[in-house]
Amino acid sequence: MATEHRDFWSKVAAKYDRVVDLQFGGPSTRSMVRERVAKEGRLGYLAEFGCGTGFYTPVLASKADNVVATDLSPMMLGLAKDQVQASNVTFRVEDCEKTSFPDEAFDTAFLGLVIHFTEPNKTLAEMRRILKRGGTLIIANVGLGALTGLDRVRAVIRMLYCGITGFRVKPPKGFAKHMMTEKQLCDLLGQFGFRVISTERIKSTSSSSNIPVEYVRAVKV
Ligand SMILES: C[S@@+](CC[C@H](N)C(=O)[O-])C[C@H]1O[C@@H](n2cnc3c(N)ncnc32)[C@H](O)[C@@H]1O
């Protein structure tokens, strides 16, 4: 499964930033999430998973002592390497469900718009393993579940339409099948030994059908 996902993301990498912002509706949603990251305190030794083209990496680097920016797709990582200049960032291919990092290696782990593409149980177990006790897990979760009625229908159609016409690559079977509501994510975090310390809904207000991002911070207890 990981191979099919890796190949999909590598094929769409060059188009990703343009298409994802269309899918969310409000082109500023990811920028708003990035602004939220910029308000974090010091993040210590940080691992970023699914860094994509490195959209969040520079701001994470400005808050962290050291960043290991990782992604399943070598093509995505290549774009991130070209775009990120910060000297405290290294890049490597990693599957966040099963990484090569030692136990308790990091103070912070960041996953931006990634967890629903993975088996959340495996990813959270891995995050628990690699974080120090008291370490922070930050998840930017796609908040499709927060939309209701016609807004939700519009958002789903826009996501599919922009994905199909923008990427023009068939997604692997079971793609994005683990989309979670904020409550489902918080409950799961509890099951994996994390205490949720804050949740914030970030949404561009240009249209009611814009897809929000839930910015969830949790601590390993
Ligand atoms: C929707 S993009 C998000 C990229 C970036 N974080 C952002 O918000 O712009 C999802 C990224 O996760 C990566 N990815 C998917 N499954 C992964 C996995 N199991 N482990 C690590 N990265 C994964 C993809 O290659 C892709 O770059």
Side-chain angles (χ1 to χ4, degrees):
M1 186 175 110
T3 312
E4 289 164 29
H5 281 244
R6 183 199 62 203
D7 292 348
F8 171 82
W9 287 110
S10 282
K11 282 179 192 157
V12 306
K15 296 174 180 169
Y16 171 72
D17 281 316
R18 185 180 61 81
V19 173
V20 72
D21 288 337
L22 294 173
Q23 289 180 306
F24 270 85
S28 56
T29 308
R30 283 192 314 149
S31 302
M32 291 164 74
V33 174
R34 191 164 57 180
E35 282 161 23
R36 174 61 188 85
V37 175
K39 292 185 184 143
E40 292 289 345
R42 295 304 300 167
L43 299 173
Y45 273 69
L46 181 143
E48 180 183 13
F49 295 98
C51 69
T53 59
F55 187 82
Y56 300 113
T57 314
V59 68
L60 290 168
S62 74
K63 296 284 159 182
D65 298 332
N66 185 277
V67 174
V68 187
T70 75
D71 200 282
L72 191 61
S73 153
M75 287 295 280
M76 283 287 196
L77 267 186
L79 292 175
K81 270 184 208 166
D82 289 345
Q83 281 174 41
V84 178
Q85 308 299 330
S87 59
N88 60 342
V89 181
T90 51
F91 298 89
R92 65 201 246 188
V93 172
E94 291 284 351
D95 180 343
C96 62
E97 293 179 8
K98 193 177 189 322
T99 74
S100 63
F101 296 119
D103 293 352
E104 309 206 339
F106 295 100
D107 301 297
T108 310
F110 178 85
L111 287 104
L113 317 181
V114 181
I115 194 162
H116 59 296
F117 293 118
T118 73
E119 286 285 345
N121 287 359
K122 288 187 186 167
T123 299
L124 292 186
E126 187 64 357
M127 294 304 111
R128 182 168 171 81
R129 186 184 70 75
I130 63 160
L131 277 170
K132 295 174 187 168
R133 189 175 292 272
T136 305
L137 174 60
I138 303 173
I139 298 180
N141 183 49
V142 176
L144 198 58
L147 298 178
T148 54
L150 215 51
D151 284 336
R152 191 180 174 127
V153 174
R154 283 199 186 108
V156 170
I157 291 172
R158 189 182 55 242
M159 196 165 234
L160 291 174
Y161 177 79
C162 294
I164 291 164
T165 58
F167 290 142
R168 297 188 178 274
V169 178
K170 193 176 169 206
K173 221 172 150 198
F175 191 64
K177 73 172 176 186
H178 293 295
M179 197 84 83
M180 286 180 282
T181 63
E182 184 181 281
K183 180 171 184 327
Q184 285 168 331
L185 174 59
C186 291
D187 288 350
L188 202 61
L189 282 163
Q191 287 170 33
F192 279 87
F194 288 94
R195 182 166 48 82
V196 175
I197 49 176
S198 66
T199 64
E200 292 155 59
R201 191 157 290 153
I202 296 171
K203 181 172 171 172
S204 155
T205 52
S206 62
S207 162
S208 57
S209 73
N210 289 343
I211 300 171
V213 168
E214 284 136 4
Y215 190 87
V216 177
R217 298 165 78 252
V219 165
K220 173 177 164 180
V221 287

